[in-house]
Amino acid sequence: MDLAPLIRNVPDFPKAGIQFKDITTLLQYPDAFRHIIDGWKARYANQRINAIVGMEARGFIFGGALAYAMGVPFVPVRKKGKLPARTIAATYDLEYGTDTLEIHADALRKGDRVVIIDDLLATGGTVAAMARLVSQLGAEIVEAAFVIELPPLKGREKLAGIPVHTLVEFMVE
Ligand code: AMP
C-alpha cells in the first residue's frame, strides 16, 4: 500500500522552513492504519517482544495500537514533568536549546525485548534519547519503527547499533 499520498504536507509548521508531515490525514483511512499495525505485528510476532515503547504524542497512536494487537504492554515516553510516578530522564539537543524525555523507572525490566515506535524519524535525536532510557532500565531494543523517514536529515547515523525500520520516505530537508 502506498502511504505517501495519505500524509499531508504542511509547509512552514510549526515554524518557517519546516515541511510538517501530518499523519492525521492517514488516520482518516482505517485500511491504511490497519495495514501499518498488522504489518508491524507480523514483523515482530516471532521476536519475543515484551513491550512496545511509544513516544508522546503520535507514537502513542501507533504504538498503542501495536501493543494492543500484539497483546504486550505499552510503555509511554513523555516530555519532562508529565509522568506521575518515579521516572528516569534523558536530555538531548535541539536546534536551539535542549529537551528532556522521561520514562517510569519501573516500566521495563532487565532483559525485556522492546520495539520503539514513533510516527517520524527526522534527525534521530528523539529516538536516540528514548534508546538511552530503555537501555538504562536494562532492556534490549530489538528495533525502532517509524511510519515516516526523512533521509536527508540522517537520523539513522545517530542510531548506530539500533536497527531502524520505516515505511515511507520523503526527500525533504
Ligand atoms: P527527530 O528527533 O529530529 O528525529 O524528530 C522526530 C520527532 O519530531 C518525532 O516525534 C516527530 O513526530 C517530530 N518531527 C520532526 N520533524 C517532523 C516533521 N517534518 N513533520 C512531522 N513531525 C516531525
Side-chain angles (χ1 to χ4, degrees), residues 10 15 21 50-51 56 58 81 123 137 140 161 167:
V10 184
K15 58 183 183 182
K21 299 300 172 189
N50 301 104
E56 175 185 354
R58 281 159 277 154
T123 66
L137 295 180
E140 184 187 334
L167 298 174

Side-chain angles (χ1 to χ4, degrees), residues 54-85:
M55 178 62 207
E56 175 185 354
R58 281 159 277 154
F60 291 2
I61 298 170
F62 296 101
L66 179 61
Y68 176 87
M70 293 184 69
V72 300
F74 177 75
V75 175
V77 171
R78 301 202 63 179
K79 298 280 177 70
K80 186 180 169 60
K82 303 280 190 184
L83 289 170

Side-chain angles (χ1 to χ4, degrees), residues 16-158:
I18 303 286
Q19 302 289 328
F20 193 88
K21 299 300 172 189
D22 175 19
I23 53 84
T24 66
T25 45
L26 181 152
L27 296 173
Q28 297 277 342
Y29 293 86
D31 288 349
F33 192 24
R34 188 178 297 116
H35 170 81
I36 292 167
I37 301 305
D38 288 353
W40 285 342
K41 180 185 174 185
R43 183 176 179 84
Y44 300 119
N46 299 315
Q47 299 274 346
R48 293 179 289 111
I49 302 301
N50 301 104
I52 304 299
V53 177
M55 178 62 207
E56 175 185 354
R58 281 159 277 154
F60 291 2
I61 298 170
F62 296 101
L66 179 61
Y68 176 87
M70 293 184 69
V72 300
F74 177 75
V75 175
V77 171
R78 301 202 63 179
K79 298 280 177 70
K80 186 180 169 60
K82 303 280 190 184
L83 289 170
R86 193 166 72 80
T87 58
I88 61 166
T91 296
Y92 64 105
D93 290 329
L94 299 172
E95 198 178 344
Y96 304 104
T98 62
D99 217 342
T100 300
L101 304 182
E102 293 181 336
I103 192 170
H104 274 144
D106 60 358
L108 295 170
R109 290 195 188 81
K110 200 168 162 27
D112 276 351
R113 290 168 54 79
V114 312
V115 176
I116 290 177
I117 298 284
D118 202 358
D119 67 326
L120 183 145
L121 175 64
T123 66
T126 307
V127 69
M130 292 176 78
R132 296 211 306 276
L133 294 174
V134 168
S135 300
Q136 225 176 304
L137 295 180
E140 184 187 334
I141 300 154
V142 174
E143 194 158 72
F146 306 83
V147 179
I148 303 162
E149 179 175 3
L150 307 182
L153 296 180
K154 299 185 166 51
R156 285 177 191 253
E157 288 179 13
K158 210 172 264 167

